[in-house]
Amino acid sequence: MNTKILIIGACGQIGTELTFKLRAMYGTENVIASDIRKMNNEVVNSGPFEVVNALDYNQIEHLVEIHQITDVYLMAALLSATAEKNPAFAWDLNMNSLFHVLNLAKAKKIKKIFWPSSIAVFGITTPRENTPQYTIMEPSTVYGISKQSGERWCEYYHRMFGVDVRSVRYPGLISWSTPPGGGTTDYAVDIYHKAISQGKFECFLSSETKMPMMYMDDAIRATLAIMQSDESQIKIRSSYNLSAISFTPNEIAAEIKKHIPDFTITYKPDFRQQIADSWPASIDDTEARKDWGWHHQYDLSKMTTTMLENLRKHPNVI
């Protein structure tokens, strides 16, 4: 049977680039993008697109049936900073959308699920440096609580019903092609935009706040790698630690100054500082590297060069 893919949340930061990659691999007609509304953007205009509410089981089931979907990538979620402003809706969206997809797989209507978790599952009691795969997880944000709960449900559905669900814990993700989406790590996207457009940046985190980050190309490669791996290689059914680089706002600013010498940064920490302080500074992703061959390609220097080059080439993105 041909692979037919449904991406729920295709217009988000990760969903956008994931859609293009999957269409390049599997053919445009075999990748159905969907989101809560139809916008006039490249994702919507470049292939099959459906409006779907991730909270509506019947809508998702209908799309699965009419398009003969085999794989679902559930990318719809309310991110960390945004979720803190609307906790009840964040819990509802982040949890019930997952239940809908897990239940479709349990009913044998789809074969395979990708669902992203996050470093937000960790908390202040978690070891901050080289955070292990298996460790204390006491998240302090709504987003983190929903992701940790989701991990437990994924593992449960795999163990009890044989559902083939796969997951990685994304660190902060950095992309030039989509704007910041309400995450605590989004300063590391916005800083590049402001460096080019204004030559200065006011950071909502303190200068020495170190967090795990990843360039979007690496995140997409990891997502595709875990989904293309043989089922026997996937040993962890909660979610895999995933790592690439860790840096502070001070370090990213210093890297930008190599390209834009007059760039300046100031600091005005807000409520997101407390969220960042509860997360790891670096991640141990040995299990992902061992089980399905994960490796990253972008360090801070390469990522900075790539971000600034692309934003200069595409000024309409800023």
Side-chain angles (χ1 to χ4, degrees):
M1 187 178 180
N2 283 345
T3 299
K4 291 290 294 282
I5 294 166
L6 173 65
I7 305 167
I8 301 173
C11 294
Q13 186 192 26
I14 309 168
T16 297
E17 302 201 27
L18 185 60
T19 300
F20 296 138
K21 284 285 186 198
L22 286 169
R23 283 180 171 166
M25 290 172 62
Y26 291 99
T28 299
E29 296 306 309
N30 292 319
V31 179
I32 314 301
S34 71
D35 216 305
I36 188 69
R37 64 183 63 88
K38 190 169 188 175
M39 294 172 276
N40 184 23
N41 61 24
E42 215 177 334
V43 170
V44 173
N45 298 330
S46 65
F49 181 86
E50 299 275 7
V51 173
V52 67
N53 181 351
L55 289 170
D56 191 325
Y57 178 88
N58 292 329
Q59 279 188 21
I60 299 171
E61 182 184 41
H62 178 66
L63 290 187
V64 164
E65 288 172 353
I66 63 170
H67 293 289
Q68 298 179 298
I69 298 298
T70 59
D71 299 5
V72 172
Y73 291 71
L74 177 57
M75 312 309 290
L78 216 58
L79 300 182
S80 57
T82 312
E84 289 305 295
K85 296 172 183 174
N86 198 343
F89 177 66
W91 175 261
D92 192 21
L93 174 62
N94 295 359
M95 291 309 306
N96 285 317
S97 59
L98 175 59
F99 275 129
H100 293 339
V101 176
L102 288 171
N103 284 324
L104 283 167
K106 178 187 170 186
K108 309 296 184 198
K109 297 195 174 190
I110 52 177
K111 289 185 173 179
K112 198 159 49 171
I113 297 165
F114 177 81
W115 173 80
S117 189
S118 162
I119 58 168
V121 298
F122 303 119
I124 55 172
T125 52
T126 302
R128 277 184 62 76
E129 295 289 346
N130 290 317
T131 301
Q133 174 68 43
Y134 301 104
T135 187
I136 300 166
M137 295 164 68
E138 294 184 323
S140 58
T141 64
V142 178
Y143 181 64
I145 292 165
S146 70
K147 287 298 184 185
Q148 189 199 18
S149 302
E151 287 191 14
R152 303 274 65 82
W153 281 115
C154 288
E155 192 174 59
Y156 180 85
Y157 268 74
H158 175 73
R159 189 177 74 250
M160 297 299 291
F161 310 119
V163 169
D164 187 359
V165 57
R166 305 172 183 207
S167 178
V168 295
R169 293 170 182 152
Y170 287 131
L173 298 182
I174 300 170
S175 164
W176 65 266
S177 66
T178 47
T184 301
T185 54
D186 276 355
Y187 89 85
V189 178
D190 200 26
I191 191 170
Y192 290 111
H193 288 251
K194 295 292 197 303
I196 290 176
S197 64
Q198 299 177 18
K200 61 182 181 179
F201 180 66
E202 183 175 90
C203 186
F204 56 71
L205 299 177
S206 66
S207 63
E208 298 305 314
T209 305
K210 184 179 170 190
M211 285 192 290
M213 299 283 190
M214 181 176 287
Y215 187 55
M216 184 63 78
D217 285 18
D218 274 341
I220 298 297
R221 282 195 317 105
T223 304
L224 299 176
I226 193 171
M227 284 296 275
Q228 290 177 324
S229 294
D230 189 82
E231 198 169 348
S232 63
Q233 293 175 264
I234 312 302
K235 314 288 188 195
I236 295 168
R237 293 296 182 154
S238 51
S239 192
Y240 277 93
N241 274 4
L242 196 68
S243 179
I245 45 181
S246 287
F247 53 79
T248 65
N250 202 30
E251 287 170 331
I252 194 173
E255 202 62 42
I256 289 171
K257 282 175 77 71
K258 293 177 184 177
H259 301 263
I260 306 172
D262 294 336
F263 174 71
T264 58
I265 185 168
T266 54
Y267 298 95
K268 191 178 179 182
D270 64 15
F271 74 98
R272 288 166 285 196
Q273 182 67 51
Q274 198 173 354
I275 297 175
D277 288 343
S278 74
W279 289 353
S282 58
I283 298 284
D284 180 349
D285 62 357
T286 304
E287 301 300 322
R289 293 174 189 267
K290 176 171 59 90
D291 289 357
W292 41 276
W294 160 246
H295 61 279
H296 68 282
Q297 294 181 349
Y298 284 82
D299 60 13
L300 178 57
S301 173
K302 184 179 179 183
M303 181 182 75
T304 298
T305 301
T306 306
M307 283 289 292
L308 294 173
E309 280 178 358
N310 277 293
L311 286 173
R312 284 183 173 126
K313 279 186 213 164
H314 304 87
N316 58 313
V317 174
I318 299 176

